[in-house]
Amino acid sequence: MSAVMERRETPAAAPVKSRRRWLTRKTAPYVFISPFFILFAVFGLFPLLFTIYLSFHYWDPSTGLGGMKWVGFENFTFVLTDDWFHKSLYNTFWIALVSGVPQHLAAIPLAFFLHTRLSRWRNAVVGLYFLPFITSTVAISLVFTSLFSRDYGLINVLLTQMGQWEVAGLRPLGWVFPTENIDWNDPGYTKWVISFVVWWRYVGWNTVLYLSALQTIPKDLYEAASIDGASRRQQFWHITVPLLRPMMFLAITLSIIGNLQLFEEPFILTGGLGPGGTSIGGPDQAGKTAAMHMYATAYIESDFGTASAVAWLLFLIIAMMTWANNKAFKEKS
Amino acid sequence: MKIMHALLLSAAMSGSVAAQTVTLEVASFPDLDRGIKAAIPLYQEAHPDVEIKLVSLAFGDHHNAMTTSLATGSNLPDVMAVEVGFIGKFAASGGIEDLSKPPYNAMQYQDQFARFTLPQATGGEGNLAAIPVDIGPGALFYRQDLLQKAGVDESAFSNNWDAFIEAGKKVKEKTGAYMVAHAGDLKDIIIRSDLEDGEGIFFDKENNSLVTSPRFEKAFKVAKAARDAGIDAKVKAWTSEWTEGLRRGQIATQMMGSWVAGHLANWIAPESAGLWRSKQLPDNVYASWGGSFYAIPAKAQHKHEAWEFIRFLALNKSMQLEAFHKLDAFPALVTAQNDQFLQQPIEFLGGQKARVQWKEAADRIPAITVNKYDTIADEIVNAELDKVLLHDKDIKEALADAHKLIKRRVRY
């Protein structure tokens, strides 16, 4: 390597020499890696630091940069004592739990099944499960919005047809299925519908995570276990589950972070902003998550300072939850 | 030598071009941008030295982009389209030229525009932020066939809100259709009723909220009565449920700006042509929905040319008529409103000469003032109305809470 460099250096012509002044062996790596850091500084670091600065100001952006007013911690005290923020936080945790826990409860057995029972078609089936994850959230949410439509949605058509199915003048399924259209927009259902869509979307992603972890578990462990007479069920509980722990930790951490930042799915399922521009989160704000609250504070109320404070409080909550998750996994092992 | 010559020549040419041509950047949104597109060739006939560059973004994106540009003071267009819902915010921003002052002196044109438009564009300090180009006088559109089927008297059902709700019950019972899309629509109209010139919907001049006034109490009561009577479809405007409901004749009336007739005819419910009729809003309310304005940012490059172009769009009768005839944009310019076009029957409304009616509404709409906190107040009132409609919250209590919330949020 150094021989090559020396050979290049000795017969140096003028242009090479002038280039060498700043592009030396020491500086070259930094120059080559700089595009990332420059872009990160402009689009990542600067906004991050700017929101800290903003969170201590009142700022309506249409007044220009000169319109900022220092308010100290007032934005934070305002948010912490704000009923709307509390409600959005409650909604966020509700959806995170109801969509998050079943995601893992379904993904682990599913991955185990795919790993043990399927061989030839495994990748194709995994691809199918993964499809929702790589499809645009907007497209998914729009499709589900029309499926869950009260008067014209396919789900209500199916449910009511089952409920109204008649045999000899009786409706044998009428006590299980509804006989009239269900209003899925009702605040009682909003969070369930959002949770279902989120669950459906990320179950494939978690399955892929768990499947990749399963593939790293040595086969001889299972062989040894089956020689010892362990059933499939015993193998699952005593070999698979313990060895999946590190992946569970990663997958659950990702779920916590993703679910607490949930925005697109609830935003579109509850009707987005609409040209009126003032309803967010559906009737009674039942589907308004903390991230949506932040968006509304910034773009409906034009209060970027308070929105920044919401963002940082949300960050602190996510950091705390991740820390608690870390602790829980460490202690048991 | 030859090269030198060519260089000099091209430099001279570009120099002379630069001295003459001004590129005017106009930022707008659909469908308003169609008016600009129609105006460009007409304007360039008289002003060959001005080139117009139109940048058009979707409605929400346009206003977000303009907010960002105002925030940073960069990338501002010379002429900025502003929808009425954003005027209060932009007028208070300080980043927009005050058109009431020289060299614009736009108040001299006050009498030429529909009387409620300039107050809509006036900020808290008396600054005129923008000039109106089109307006949306409110009307009650209804499905004549459904009302007839239900045996509802067309001439009387909108005399007052009780009659309206009673008619709604009959329509629901006989045809299965809902009378209105959302109970909140009734609230939105009633809070705009009985307003005098110079009053605001949500705030008085000292930024005190007015939401505990009898106006809001009545609005909440009527909305609640409509919900209890089961005559609202519980769908919000512009959702797919709403368009589907209108298309299938499941929603019997719609109160909105007169421009919604064009939306119904073009894409929402073209099959129902001839079945719709237009009427003045119930209970003698006159209100406007939407309306487009043009403003000049304080940091615009070519303010003089921008002002010339805005005057052409807003004050030139033939241009206003062009937009009226071709786009059905109801003109803000009074002389254009009095055009023969008013008398033309509208096919979609069964040959009704509805524009005459809309013109009458435009004359009666009170000149109410806007406040930059209107959107926040609207958001809070809607949230409290939800509680009344869904959880039977006491109306007085809900409005008192809304008042408290508004006071809390209007901080600076």
Side-chain angles (χ1 to χ4, degrees), chain A residues 58-65 69 71 74-75 77-79 81-84 87 145-146 148-152 183 185-187 271 275-276 278-280 282-285 288 293 295-297 299-303 306, chain B residues 59 64 67-68 70-73 86 89-90 92-95 178 232-242 244-246 248 250 372-376 378-380 382-384 386-387 390-391 405 408-409 411-412:
Chain A
Y58 173 78
W59 188 45
D60 176 348
S62 63
T63 57
L65 291 169
K69 251 183 239 153
V71 293
E74 211 201 295
N75 285 333
T77 50
F78 177 82
V79 173
T81 54
D82 184 23
D83 285 346
W84 284 13
K87 184 164 198 173
T145 308
S146 70
F148 277 107
S149 161
R150 180 192 59 203
D151 293 327
Y152 320 109
D183 185 3
N185 272 327
D186 191 83
T278 53
S279 79
I280 190 164
D284 209 18
Q285 307 186 340
K288 187 183 187 187
H293 180 67
Y295 179 87
T297 309
Y299 288 97
I300 297 178
E301 300 180 10
S302 292
D303 187 349
T306 307
Chain B
F59 181 80
N64 274 348
T67 306
T68 314
L70 285 170
T72 55
F86 293 83
K89 198 158 125 183
F90 285 9
S93 75
Y178 297 102
D232 82 316
K234 301 186 200 169
V235 299
K236 291 266 180 192
W238 309 107
T239 59
S240 52
E241 298 250 317
W242 179 72
E244 205 55 36
L246 290 169
R248 300 191 192 196
Q250 286 296 307
K372 70 167 174 161
Y373 293 115
D374 278 348
T375 42
I376 298 184
D378 191 28
E379 191 190 9
I380 289 169
N382 283 336
E384 287 300 323
D386 272 348
K387 288 185 180 156
L390 296 161
H391 307 307
L405 275 172
R408 202 177 125 75
R409 264 170 208 265
R411 295 189 291 159
Y412 301 100

Side-chain angles (χ1 to χ4, degrees), chain B residues 159-165 186 189-190 218 222 255 282-283 285:
Chain B
N159 286 353
N160 57 58
W161 291 108
D162 288 338
F164 186 81
I165 289 174
L186 304 183
I189 295 162
I190 300 168
K218 182 180 175 191
V222 173
M255 293 173 256
D283 207 19
V285 181

Side-chain angles (χ1 to χ4, degrees), chain A residues 75-139:
Chain A
N75 285 333
F76 288 94
T77 50
F78 177 82
V79 173
L80 286 171
T81 54
D82 184 23
D83 285 346
W84 284 13
F85 177 65
H86 296 162
K87 184 164 198 173
S88 71
L89 214 54
Y90 166 79
N91 290 341
T92 309
F93 274 96
W94 198 103
I95 296 169
L97 275 178
V98 173
S99 72
V101 175
Q103 256 175 49
H104 296 273
L105 293 183
I108 294 172
L110 187 63
F112 186 68
F113 171 79
L114 292 174
H115 183 62
T116 52
R117 296 294 171 90
L118 294 184
S119 53
R120 210 172 135 201
W121 296 102
R122 188 195 296 152
N123 287 342
V125 174
V126 171
L128 281 180
Y129 279 111
F130 200 64
L131 211 55
F133 182 74
I134 53 169
T135 309
S136 139
T137 322
V138 177

Side-chain angles (χ1 to χ4, degrees), chain A residues 132-186:
Chain A
F133 182 74
I134 53 169
T135 309
S136 139
T137 322
V138 177
I140 287 174
S141 306
L142 285 174
V143 167
F144 274 98
T145 308
S146 70
L147 284 178
F148 277 107
S149 161
R150 180 192 59 203
D151 293 327
Y152 320 109
L154 208 57
I155 290 177
N156 270 348
V157 170
L158 282 176
L159 289 179
T160 51
Q161 268 183 2
M162 300 287 260
Q164 289 171 348
W165 181 58
E166 280 187 32
V167 181
L170 289 170
R171 289 177 174 175
L173 296 176
W175 59 281
V176 190
F177 292 98
T179 50
E180 283 194 359
N181 284 340
I182 295 174
D183 185 3
W184 298 105
N185 272 327
D186 191 83

Side-chain angles (χ1 to χ4, degrees), chain B residues 147-216:
Chain B
L147 261 59
Q148 275 173 358
K149 213 166 141 193
V152 169
D153 178 9
E154 244 182 278
S155 61
F157 81 99
S158 63
N159 286 353
N160 57 58
W161 291 108
D162 288 338
F164 186 81
I165 289 174
E166 281 311 311
K169 283 185 195 164
K170 274 192 208 164
V171 169
K172 184 86 189 55
E173 190 192 330
K174 297 268 168 61
T175 69
Y178 297 102
M179 189 67 167
V180 290
H182 200 277
D185 295 355
L186 304 183
K187 179 265 306 176
D188 279 335
I189 295 162
I190 300 168
I191 61 173
R192 283 166 176 78
S193 63
D194 297 329
L195 283 169
E196 302 282 328
D197 287 0
E199 283 184 322
I201 297 173
F202 297 102
F203 297 96
D204 66 10
K205 286 210 174 71
E206 280 81 44
N207 268 356
N208 298 311
S209 104
L210 302 169
V211 296
T212 46
S213 62
R215 189 155 49 92
F216 280 85

